[in-house]
Structure formats: structure tokens, C-alpha cells
Amino acid sequence: MAWRRDFRYASPMPELPEVETVRRGLEPALVGRRLTKVTLRRPDLRFPFPPHFARRLTGARVAELRRRGKFLLAPLSSGETLIVHLGMTGRFLIDLAQAADDVPFRDQCPPPKHAHVVFETDNGPRVTFSDARRFGFMDVFETANLSHHLQLANLGPEPFDGAFNQSYLAAAFSARRRGVKDILMDQSVVAGLGNIYASEALHRARVAPGKEARRIGRKAIGRIVPAIRAVLEEAIDAGGSTLRDFAAANGSPGYFQHSFRVYGRGGEPCPNPGCVGRIHRSIQAGRATYHCPTCQE
Ligand SMILES: [Zn+2]
């Protein structure tokens, strides 16, 4: 069906806005519901599933669906939390049809070989997780000790948190020789940014992505914080409108098409006001980087 193509990630890898959109899309399908059956179709994704994964989830009620950085966290009535990372290609599909004959399950779901986990809920939709490249993972961990989980323990502040501000970023940049984009993608510095939104934010802040972090002046740092928030907010809004337009109709939790100003736009004119430069594509630390050499210093 055509709508499924519309919902491909614009980005090759989900970052904070995509994860947040998935969270909002999944919330009505899962929160408050009991997981009546959990089916695992393979033993691992990026990592093996934890022991007794399906058994530990079955019968538990989903109390809440939260996001931390690029992680989805679902605290359960059992006292444990389901942790999900989408990796590069992790996708959820919500099968709104109660009866499989109404809308054939196979029409709503990715190919069976990629439908790795199936969650059935009481009086609610069936939720399927697939991950073609298997860079994502799921874990179950004691809620009371969640902050000690290996993947969550060292996460930096959320970009919208007050703790993420100019003086915090100045301290994070000081004495660091790595490129500023690399530092922003470091999840222990700030949680949720990846290659795309870091590139977009630095373009708006007019800071060159490869510039050594320690050489970024305070004024530029003062532009980076609001630029990060602006690009994330716009992308979350775009995801939100996708959800409003489509989620109720087809159950896809917001794999939205969001347009970027620089990412994927090598050779195009720079969209920054007053700039006559062109977007340049380069490879930095193994990642495609897009920036405008004219206005990003
Ligand atoms: Zn420019």
C-alpha cells in the first residue's frame, strides 16, 4: 500500500525526534494495557534478548511509555521496565484490526522474516517490532535500578532539559580536540542527537562541524543550544502532524518524512539567510557530513 512507503524514515537512523514520534504513536496502543502474549521470532537483535524475555513481559501491564535519549522505556506493573532501542531500522507497526480476517495481518506487517517481536494486548491492537538490519535491541531491567543499566547510566542531559545550557556545553567542549559535531553526537554529552540533527543544528548556528570543540567561542556555543532545540522541535512537530494525519487510519506510528535543510543536499544553495554559499558533502569520522563552508565558521 502506498502509505507504507510514505512512512519510511527520512533519516537513515532514528534520532530523538523519530523516537519521540514513535513513542507518541505507540502510547495509545500500549499504555494501560496488559501484554497477553509476547512472541519472539529470533533469539537476538544486536544483542541476545534477556533470559525469559517473553515470560517476564507476559501478563504485565504497561504503566507508561517514556523516552530517554534514543531509548524507549516502558515501565511495567511487574516492577521491570522494557527498554527498546530502534537501532537503524527498528520499526513498530500497530495492527488496529481486532480480528485478523478484517485486515489480513500479513498486509499490515513487514515481511515475516523481519517481524521479530509480536506483542498482543488485552482488548487492544497487536504491536509488531521489526528490525531489518538488527542494530536495535530490547532488554528488560528492574525499574528501581534503571539508572544503573549499562546503556542508560552514562547518558547526558536531554536537549530540552534546563541542565543542557550554554555553560554546560562550554564545559563539555573545553579542551576537546574532536570535531564539534562528534562531541554533539556523543550520547554522554547530550542524549538523543545523531549525525543528521547535529549537522542541521550546526548549520543553523553557523558553526563548522569539523571545527575542534575547544576552539568554539562562547557566542557560537550560545547559538548552538537554541539551534539544537529548534531543529528537534520542528522535527517532532513534523512527526506529530504525521501522527494526526495517518496513525489513526493505518496504525503506522509516525515514520515521517521530514525535510532537512542541509542533510542530503550536497551541491544545493545554502538556505541560511543572506548566504550565497553551497552545501558541501564530506566524510567526517566515517559519517556523511553536510555543511556550508561559506557561513559555517
Ligand atoms: Zn551558508
PDB file of all heavy atoms in Angstrom, residues 1 5 28 36 46 58 68-69 74 105 108 116 120 144 151 155 167 200 202 211 218 233 236 239 261 269 285 287 294:
ATOM      1  N   MET A   1       0.848  -1.206   0.000  1.00  0.00           N
ATOM      2  CA  MET A   1       0.000   0.000   0.000  1.00  0.00           C
ATOM      3  C   MET A   1       0.878   1.250   0.000  1.00  0.00           C
ATOM      4  O   MET A   1       1.948   1.254   0.580  1.00  0.00           O
ATOM      5  CB  MET A   1      -0.889   0.001   1.253  1.00  0.00           C
ATOM      6  CG  MET A   1      -2.056  -0.963   1.128  1.00  0.00           C
ATOM      7  SD  MET A   1      -3.344  -0.576   2.313  1.00  0.00           S
ATOM      8  CE  MET A   1      -2.658  -1.288   3.780  1.00  0.00           C
ATOM      9  N   ARG A   5       5.019   3.319   2.063  1.00  0.00           N
ATOM     10  CA  ARG A   5       6.205   3.983   1.522  1.00  0.00           C
ATOM     11  C   ARG A   5       6.353   5.385   2.117  1.00  0.00           C
ATOM     12  O   ARG A   5       7.435   5.830   2.393  1.00  0.00           O
ATOM     13  CB  ARG A   5       6.128   4.065   0.012  1.00  0.00           C
ATOM     14  CG  ARG A   5       6.615   2.796  -0.676  1.00  0.00           C
ATOM     15  CD  ARG A   5       6.896   3.026  -2.146  1.00  0.00           C
ATOM     16  NE  ARG A   5       5.670   3.239  -2.872  1.00  0.00           N
ATOM     17  CZ  ARG A   5       4.908   2.256  -3.336  1.00  0.00           C
ATOM     18  NH1 ARG A   5       5.261   0.999  -3.132  1.00  0.00           N
ATOM     19  NH2 ARG A   5       3.814   2.519  -3.989  1.00  0.00           N
ATOM     20  N   PRO A  28      -0.971   5.305  22.830  1.00  0.00           N
ATOM     21  CA  PRO A  28      -2.365   4.855  22.947  1.00  0.00           C
ATOM     22  C   PRO A  28      -2.541   3.352  22.718  1.00  0.00           C
ATOM     23  O   PRO A  28      -3.504   2.764  23.194  1.00  0.00           O
ATOM     24  CB  PRO A  28      -3.102   5.660  21.868  1.00  0.00           C
ATOM     25  CG  PRO A  28      -2.060   6.196  20.966  1.00  0.00           C
ATOM     26  CD  PRO A  28      -0.777   6.247  21.721  1.00  0.00           C
ATOM     27  N   THR A  36      -0.779  -9.659  26.746  1.00  0.00           N
ATOM     28  CA  THR A  36      -1.348 -11.002  26.942  1.00  0.00           C
ATOM     29  C   THR A  36      -0.477 -12.090  26.321  1.00  0.00           C
ATOM     30  O   THR A  36      -0.489 -13.215  26.751  1.00  0.00           O
ATOM     31  CB  THR A  36      -2.761 -11.085  26.337  1.00  0.00           C
ATOM     32  OG1 THR A  36      -2.707 -10.592  24.994  1.00  0.00           O
ATOM     33  CG2 THR A  36      -3.738 -10.231  27.141  1.00  0.00           C
ATOM     34  N   ARG A  46      20.601  -6.854  18.006  1.00  0.00           N
ATOM     35  CA  ARG A  46      22.030  -6.539  18.098  1.00  0.00           C
ATOM     36  C   ARG A  46      22.673  -7.344  19.222  1.00  0.00           C
ATOM     37  O   ARG A  46      23.823  -7.757  19.134  1.00  0.00           O
ATOM     38  CB  ARG A  46      22.163  -5.041  18.369  1.00  0.00           C
ATOM     39  CG  ARG A  46      23.580  -4.561  18.487  1.00  0.00           C
ATOM     40  CD  ARG A  46      23.549  -3.063  18.589  1.00  0.00           C
ATOM     41  NE  ARG A  46      24.838  -2.490  18.854  1.00  0.00           N
ATOM     42  CZ  ARG A  46      25.005  -1.193  19.096  1.00  0.00           C
ATOM     43  NH1 ARG A  46      23.962  -0.377  19.103  1.00  0.00           N
ATOM     44  NH2 ARG A  46      26.191  -0.726  19.315  1.00  0.00           N
ATOM     45  N   THR A  58       4.904 -11.126  29.719  1.00  0.00           N
ATOM     46  CA  THR A  58       3.534 -11.618  29.589  1.00  0.00           C
ATOM     47  C   THR A  58       2.764 -11.437  30.904  1.00  0.00           C
ATOM     48  O   THR A  58       3.266 -11.788  31.972  1.00  0.00           O
ATOM     49  CB  THR A  58       3.539 -13.098  29.166  1.00  0.00           C
ATOM     50  OG1 THR A  58       4.315 -13.204  27.967  1.00  0.00           O
ATOM     51  CG2 THR A  58       2.135 -13.596  28.897  1.00  0.00           C
ATOM     52  N   ARG A  68      14.115   8.298  26.731  1.00  0.00           N
ATOM     53  CA  ARG A  68      15.340   8.849  27.300  1.00  0.00           C
ATOM     54  C   ARG A  68      16.366   8.787  26.189  1.00  0.00           C
ATOM     55  O   ARG A  68      16.752   7.694  25.757  1.00  0.00           O
ATOM     56  CB  ARG A  68      15.764   8.036  28.521  1.00  0.00           C
ATOM     57  CG  ARG A  68      17.065   8.497  29.140  1.00  0.00           C
ATOM     58  CD  ARG A  68      16.872   9.772  29.964  1.00  0.00           C
ATOM     59  NE  ARG A  68      18.114  10.089  30.668  1.00  0.00           N
ATOM     60  CZ  ARG A  68      19.015  11.001  30.224  1.00  0.00           C
ATOM     61  NH1 ARG A  68      18.780  11.692  29.116  1.00  0.00           N
ATOM     62  NH2 ARG A  68      20.124  11.224  30.895  1.00  0.00           N
ATOM     63  N   GLY A  69      16.801   9.962  25.689  1.00  0.00           N
ATOM     64  CA  GLY A  69      17.691   9.965  24.539  1.00  0.00           C
ATOM     65  C   GLY A  69      17.012   9.256  23.386  1.00  0.00           C
ATOM     66  O   GLY A  69      15.883   9.569  23.017  1.00  0.00           O
ATOM     67  N   ALA A  74       9.463   1.404  28.809  1.00  0.00           N
ATOM     68  CA  ALA A  74       8.094   1.074  29.198  1.00  0.00           C
ATOM     69  C   ALA A  74       8.095   0.406  30.564  1.00  0.00           C
ATOM     70  O   ALA A  74       8.287  -0.810  30.680  1.00  0.00           O
ATOM     71  CB  ALA A  74       7.463   0.153  28.157  1.00  0.00           C
ATOM     72  N   PHE A 105      -3.372  -9.831   8.546  1.00  0.00           N
ATOM     73  CA  PHE A 105      -2.184  -9.455   9.322  1.00  0.00           C
ATOM     74  C   PHE A 105      -0.991  -9.237   8.424  1.00  0.00           C
ATOM     75  O   PHE A 105      -0.226  -8.302   8.583  1.00  0.00           O
ATOM     76  CB  PHE A 105      -1.921 -10.565  10.337  1.00  0.00           C
ATOM     77  CG  PHE A 105      -0.819 -10.276  11.295  1.00  0.00           C
ATOM     78  CD1 PHE A 105      -0.815  -9.101  12.035  1.00  0.00           C
ATOM     79  CD2 PHE A 105       0.232 -11.167  11.471  1.00  0.00           C
ATOM     80  CE1 PHE A 105       0.205  -8.823  12.917  1.00  0.00           C
ATOM     81  CE2 PHE A 105       1.247 -10.893  12.364  1.00  0.00           C
ATOM     82  CZ  PHE A 105       1.244  -9.727  13.081  1.00  0.00           C
ATOM     83  N   GLN A 108      -0.512  -5.822   6.944  1.00  0.00           N
ATOM     84  CA  GLN A 108      -0.197  -4.725   7.847  1.00  0.00           C
ATOM     85  C   GLN A 108       1.237  -4.798   8.352  1.00  0.00           C
ATOM     86  O   GLN A 108       1.742  -3.848   8.903  1.00  0.00           O
ATOM     87  CB  GLN A 108      -1.134  -4.776   9.058  1.00  0.00           C
ATOM     88  CG  GLN A 108      -2.572  -4.484   8.709  1.00  0.00           C
ATOM     89  CD  GLN A 108      -2.942  -3.068   9.032  1.00  0.00           C
ATOM     90  OE1 GLN A 108      -2.352  -2.464   9.905  1.00  0.00           O
ATOM     91  NE2 GLN A 108      -3.887  -2.517   8.325  1.00  0.00           N
ATOM     92  N   HIS A 116      10.223  -9.385  14.260  1.00  0.00           N
ATOM     93  CA  HIS A 116      10.997 -10.112  15.262  1.00  0.00           C
ATOM     94  C   HIS A 116      10.285 -10.321  16.585  1.00  0.00           C
ATOM     95  O   HIS A 116      10.521 -11.300  17.272  1.00  0.00           O
ATOM     96  CB  HIS A 116      12.323  -9.397  15.496  1.00  0.00           C
ATOM     97  CG  HIS A 116      13.170  -9.334  14.266  1.00  0.00           C
ATOM     98  ND1 HIS A 116      13.781  -8.195  13.820  1.00  0.00           N
ATOM     99  CD2 HIS A 116      13.461 -10.287  13.360  1.00  0.00           C
ATOM    100  CE1 HIS A 116      14.435  -8.463  12.705  1.00  0.00           C
ATOM    101  NE2 HIS A 116      14.255  -9.712  12.400  1.00  0.00           N
ATOM    102  N   GLU A 120       0.904  -8.931  21.880  1.00  0.00           N
ATOM    103  CA  GLU A 120      -0.560  -8.914  21.851  1.00  0.00           C
ATOM    104  C   GLU A 120      -1.028  -8.275  23.152  1.00  0.00           C
ATOM    105  O   GLU A 120      -0.452  -8.523  24.216  1.00  0.00           O
ATOM    106  CB  GLU A 120      -1.112 -10.341  21.767  1.00  0.00           C
ATOM    107  CG  GLU A 120      -0.332 -11.229  20.819  1.00  0.00           C
ATOM    108  CD  GLU A 120      -1.146 -11.679  19.623  1.00  0.00           C
ATOM    109  OE1 GLU A 120      -2.271 -11.176  19.447  1.00  0.00           O
ATOM    110  OE2 GLU A 120      -0.647 -12.525  18.862  1.00  0.00           O
ATOM    111  N   ALA A 144      13.543  -0.056  39.458  1.00  0.00           N
ATOM    112  CA  ALA A 144      14.172   0.682  40.561  1.00  0.00           C
ATOM    113  C   ALA A 144      15.654   0.958  40.291  1.00  0.00           C
ATOM    114  O   ALA A 144      16.214   1.920  40.832  1.00  0.00           O
ATOM    115  CB  ALA A 144      13.995  -0.088  41.864  1.00  0.00           C
ATOM    116  N   GLN A 151      23.363   0.771  29.330  1.00  0.00           N
ATOM    117  CA  GLN A 151      23.144   1.679  28.203  1.00  0.00           C
ATOM    118  C   GLN A 151      22.601   3.035  28.634  1.00  0.00           C
ATOM    119  O   GLN A 151      22.609   3.988  27.857  1.00  0.00           O
ATOM    120  CB  GLN A 151      22.147   1.056  27.211  1.00  0.00           C
ATOM    121  CG  GLN A 151      22.534  -0.323  26.727  1.00  0.00           C
ATOM    122  CD  GLN A 151      23.581  -0.270  25.639  1.00  0.00           C
ATOM    123  OE1 GLN A 151      23.796   0.771  25.025  1.00  0.00           O
ATOM    124  NE2 GLN A 151      24.245  -1.371  25.397  1.00  0.00           N
ATOM    125  N   LEU A 155      24.202   8.405  30.048  1.00  0.00           N
ATOM    126  CA  LEU A 155      23.571   9.357  29.135  1.00  0.00           C
ATOM    127  C   LEU A 155      23.657  10.777  29.691  1.00  0.00           C
ATOM    128  O   LEU A 155      23.431  11.002  30.879  1.00  0.00           O
ATOM    129  CB  LEU A 155      22.096   9.004  28.925  1.00  0.00           C
ATOM    130  CG  LEU A 155      21.773   7.775  28.075  1.00  0.00           C
ATOM    131  CD1 LEU A 155      20.267   7.622  27.968  1.00  0.00           C
ATOM    132  CD2 LEU A 155      22.399   7.892  26.693  1.00  0.00           C
ATOM    133  N   SER A 167      26.576  27.137  29.529  1.00  0.00           N
ATOM    134  CA  SER A 167      27.760  26.883  30.351  1.00  0.00           C
ATOM    135  C   SER A 167      28.061  25.376  30.423  1.00  0.00           C
ATOM    136  O   SER A 167      29.233  24.981  30.479  1.00  0.00           O
ATOM    137  CB  SER A 167      27.632  27.493  31.748  1.00  0.00           C
ATOM    138  OG  SER A 167      26.357  27.307  32.267  1.00  0.00           O
ATOM    139  N   GLU A 200      22.294  19.537  11.150  1.00  0.00           N
ATOM    140  CA  GLU A 200      21.288  20.572  10.943  1.00  0.00           C
ATOM    141  C   GLU A 200      21.453  21.708  11.958  1.00  0.00           C
ATOM    142  O   GLU A 200      21.379  22.892  11.603  1.00  0.00           O
ATOM    143  CB  GLU A 200      19.881  19.972  11.066  1.00  0.00           C
ATOM    144  CG  GLU A 200      19.516  18.999   9.958  1.00  0.00           C
ATOM    145  CD  GLU A 200      19.251  19.710   8.625  1.00  0.00           C
ATOM    146  OE1 GLU A 200      18.494  20.690   8.604  1.00  0.00           O
ATOM    147  OE2 GLU A 200      19.816  19.276   7.611  1.00  0.00           O
ATOM    148  N   LEU A 202      24.149  22.592  13.653  1.00  0.00           N
ATOM    149  CA  LEU A 202      25.386  23.359  13.462  1.00  0.00           C
ATOM    150  C   LEU A 202      25.262  24.297  12.265  1.00  0.00           C
ATOM    151  O   LEU A 202      25.836  25.381  12.252  1.00  0.00           O
ATOM    152  CB  LEU A 202      26.581  22.414  13.308  1.00  0.00           C
ATOM    153  CG  LEU A 202      26.979  21.722  14.613  1.00  0.00           C
ATOM    154  CD1 LEU A 202      28.001  20.618  14.357  1.00  0.00           C
ATOM    155  CD2 LEU A 202      27.536  22.739  15.617  1.00  0.00           C
ATOM    156  N   LYS A 211      35.125  21.708  13.158  1.00  0.00           N
ATOM    157  CA  LYS A 211      35.976  22.573  13.985  1.00  0.00           C
ATOM    158  C   LYS A 211      36.202  21.951  15.360  1.00  0.00           C
ATOM    159  O   LYS A 211      35.283  21.374  15.948  1.00  0.00           O
ATOM    160  CB  LYS A 211      35.276  23.931  14.157  1.00  0.00           C
ATOM    161  CG  LYS A 211      36.131  24.981  14.824  1.00  0.00           C
ATOM    162  CD  LYS A 211      35.513  26.353  14.665  1.00  0.00           C
ATOM    163  CE  LYS A 211      36.342  27.392  15.405  1.00  0.00           C
ATOM    164  NZ  LYS A 211      35.866  28.749  15.157  1.00  0.00           N
ATOM    165  N   ARG A 218      32.354  31.357  23.006  1.00  0.00           N
ATOM    166  CA  ARG A 218      31.131  31.358  23.821  1.00  0.00           C
ATOM    167  C   ARG A 218      29.911  31.825  23.043  1.00  0.00           C
ATOM    168  O   ARG A 218      28.818  31.325  23.229  1.00  0.00           O
ATOM    169  CB  ARG A 218      31.313  32.247  25.066  1.00  0.00           C
ATOM    170  CG  ARG A 218      32.194  31.625  26.123  1.00  0.00           C
ATOM    171  CD  ARG A 218      31.972  32.279  27.483  1.00  0.00           C
ATOM    172  NE  ARG A 218      30.707  31.878  28.093  1.00  0.00           N
ATOM    173  CZ  ARG A 218      30.565  30.823  28.888  1.00  0.00           C
ATOM    174  NH1 ARG A 218      31.601  30.062  29.174  1.00  0.00           N
ATOM    175  NH2 ARG A 218      29.390  30.533  29.411  1.00  0.00           N
ATOM    176  N   GLU A 233      12.650  20.413  17.765  1.00  0.00           N
ATOM    177  CA  GLU A 233      11.241  20.777  17.913  1.00  0.00           C
ATOM    178  C   GLU A 233      10.499  20.713  16.581  1.00  0.00           C
ATOM    179  O   GLU A 233       9.395  20.185  16.490  1.00  0.00           O
ATOM    180  CB  GLU A 233      11.128  22.200  18.460  1.00  0.00           C
ATOM    181  CG  GLU A 233      10.508  22.259  19.841  1.00  0.00           C
ATOM    182  CD  GLU A 233      10.775  23.589  20.517  1.00  0.00           C
ATOM    183  OE1 GLU A 233      10.704  24.637  19.827  1.00  0.00           O
ATOM    184  OE2 GLU A 233      11.068  23.578  21.725  1.00  0.00           O
ATOM    185  N   ILE A 236      10.003  17.110  15.658  1.00  0.00           N
ATOM    186  CA  ILE A 236       8.969  16.471  16.490  1.00  0.00           C
ATOM    187  C   ILE A 236       7.586  16.944  16.035  1.00  0.00           C
ATOM    188  O   ILE A 236       6.645  16.159  15.940  1.00  0.00           O
ATOM    189  CB  ILE A 236       9.209  16.764  17.991  1.00  0.00           C
ATOM    190  CG1 ILE A 236      10.458  16.022  18.461  1.00  0.00           C
ATOM    191  CG2 ILE A 236       7.995  16.353  18.826  1.00  0.00           C
ATOM    192  CD1 ILE A 236      10.942  16.418  19.849  1.00  0.00           C
ATOM    193  N   GLY A 239       6.660  15.109  12.972  1.00  0.00           N
ATOM    194  CA  GLY A 239       6.224  13.759  13.335  1.00  0.00           C
ATOM    195  C   GLY A 239       4.828  13.772  13.909  1.00  0.00           C
ATOM    196  O   GLY A 239       4.006  12.909  13.616  1.00  0.00           O
ATOM    197  N   ARG A 261      17.464  20.827   5.996  1.00  0.00           N
ATOM    198  CA  ARG A 261      17.992  21.992   5.266  1.00  0.00           C
ATOM    199  C   ARG A 261      19.335  21.696   4.612  1.00  0.00           C
ATOM    200  O   ARG A 261      19.639  22.209   3.548  1.00  0.00           O
ATOM    201  CB  ARG A 261      18.142  23.178   6.219  1.00  0.00           C
ATOM    202  CG  ARG A 261      16.809  23.735   6.660  1.00  0.00           C
ATOM    203  CD  ARG A 261      17.001  25.112   7.245  1.00  0.00           C
ATOM    204  NE  ARG A 261      15.803  25.535   7.962  1.00  0.00           N
ATOM    205  CZ  ARG A 261      15.764  26.608   8.721  1.00  0.00           C
ATOM    206  NH1 ARG A 261      16.846  27.363   8.894  1.00  0.00           N
ATOM    207  NH2 ARG A 261      14.647  26.947   9.330  1.00  0.00           N
ATOM    208  N   PRO A 269      22.053  25.269  -2.995  1.00  0.00           N
ATOM    209  CA  PRO A 269      22.334  26.566  -2.371  1.00  0.00           C
ATOM    210  C   PRO A 269      22.077  26.518  -0.864  1.00  0.00           C
ATOM    211  O   PRO A 269      21.143  25.858  -0.410  1.00  0.00           O
ATOM    212  CB  PRO A 269      21.331  27.514  -3.044  1.00  0.00           C
ATOM    213  CG  PRO A 269      20.837  26.800  -4.250  1.00  0.00           C
ATOM    214  CD  PRO A 269      20.992  25.337  -3.996  1.00  0.00           C
ATOM    215  N   ALA A 285      34.806  11.468  10.403  1.00  0.00           N
ATOM    216  CA  ALA A 285      34.737  10.317  11.323  1.00  0.00           C
ATOM    217  C   ALA A 285      33.824   9.218  10.756  1.00  0.00           C
ATOM    218  O   ALA A 285      32.999   8.652  11.455  1.00  0.00           O
ATOM    219  CB  ALA A 285      34.274  10.749  12.708  1.00  0.00           C
ATOM    220  N   ARG A 287      31.322   9.439   8.781  1.00  0.00           N
ATOM    221  CA  ARG A 287      29.929   9.803   8.554  1.00  0.00           C
ATOM    222  C   ARG A 287      29.809  10.902   7.518  1.00  0.00           C
ATOM    223  O   ARG A 287      30.619  11.829   7.495  1.00  0.00           O
ATOM    224  CB  ARG A 287      29.294  10.350   9.849  1.00  0.00           C
ATOM    225  CG  ARG A 287      29.387   9.420  11.003  1.00  0.00           C
ATOM    226  CD  ARG A 287      28.418   8.267  10.850  1.00  0.00           C
ATOM    227  NE  ARG A 287      28.000   7.829  12.168  1.00  0.00           N
ATOM    228  CZ  ARG A 287      26.780   7.957  12.631  1.00  0.00           C
ATOM    229  NH1 ARG A 287      25.852   8.502  11.892  1.00  0.00           N
ATOM    230  NH2 ARG A 287      26.481   7.540  13.831  1.00  0.00           N
ATOM    231  N   THR A 294      30.750  28.503   3.438  1.00  0.00           N
ATOM    232  CA  THR A 294      30.700  29.960   3.377  1.00  0.00           C
ATOM    233  C   THR A 294      30.262  30.587   4.710  1.00  0.00           C
ATOM    234  O   THR A 294      30.882  31.528   5.189  1.00  0.00           O
ATOM    235  CB  THR A 294      29.763  30.422   2.238  1.00  0.00           C
ATOM    236  OG1 THR A 294      30.187  29.788   1.045  1.00  0.00           O
ATOM    237  CG2 THR A 294      29.794  31.927   2.059  1.00  0.00           C
TER     238      THR A 294
END
